[in-house]
Amino acid sequence: MILPTHWDKLTATLFAVDFNGNPEEAWRFLAYQGLVEDTPQGLKFFQDFIEQNRAQDVGTGQSPVGNLASALLSERLVVLESLPKDPSGRSAKRSFRLWSRRNAVAA
C-alpha cells in the first residue's frame, strides 16, 4: 500500500470517491479532475474492473485503490504523463466535496 504522504493525484482521487458504490459517478469525477478521458470504452473498463475485483481477496501490500490505479495506467486510460503529487489527498478530498455539492439544492 502506498503511504498517504506519497499519494499522487490519481491515487488520492480514487481514495476520495466511492468507486464501489457508484462507479459511474467515480469515473465522471476522474474525468472532471482531468485524469481520464470520458469515453464509453473507458467507463466500461472501469466498471468491469471494479465488478471483477470487488469480491477478490487483496494480497499483502496491495489495496483495491492500488490495483485500480495500476489497471488504469496499464490500459493507458490515464491522460497525464506525469501525475502531480497530492499528499494525504487534501486536494482530491476538497475537489470531491465541491463536486458532490453540484446537484445540491440551494437553501
Side-chain angles (χ1 to χ4, degrees):
M1 182 171 145
I2 303 170
L3 294 175
T5 55
H6 299 289
W7 284 354
D8 58 30
K9 190 173 181 178
L10 176 61
T11 304
T13 300
L14 289 171
F15 269 108
V17 300
D18 180 16
F19 59 83
N20 277 313
N22 193 343
E24 187 173 349
E25 182 76 4
W27 177 258
R28 302 278 183 249
F29 183 65
L30 288 170
Y32 169 77
Q33 289 284 87
L35 295 168
V36 298
E37 198 171 316
D38 193 9
T39 64
Q41 299 85 1
L43 174 58
K44 179 164 178 24
F45 173 83
F46 188 75
Q47 290 174 318
D48 290 348
F49 185 87
I50 291 167
E51 187 60 38
Q52 291 168 0
N53 292 283
R54 188 171 281 150
Q56 277 188 356
D57 206 13
V58 179
T60 304
Q62 296 176 333
S63 72
V65 166
N67 290 340
L68 182 53
S70 293
L72 291 171
L73 288 166
S74 68
E75 288 293 315
R76 300 177 192 250
L77 293 174
V78 178
V79 174
L80 302 175
E81 291 291 321
S82 174
L83 293 166
K85 298 294 179 198
D86 188 4
S88 300
R90 288 182 188 94
S91 176
K93 289 175 193 171
R94 186 175 34 251
S95 294
F96 189 67
R97 279 195 303 271
L98 291 171
W99 168 264
S100 299
R101 293 182 196 162
R102 75 193 183 290
N103 291 328
V105 177

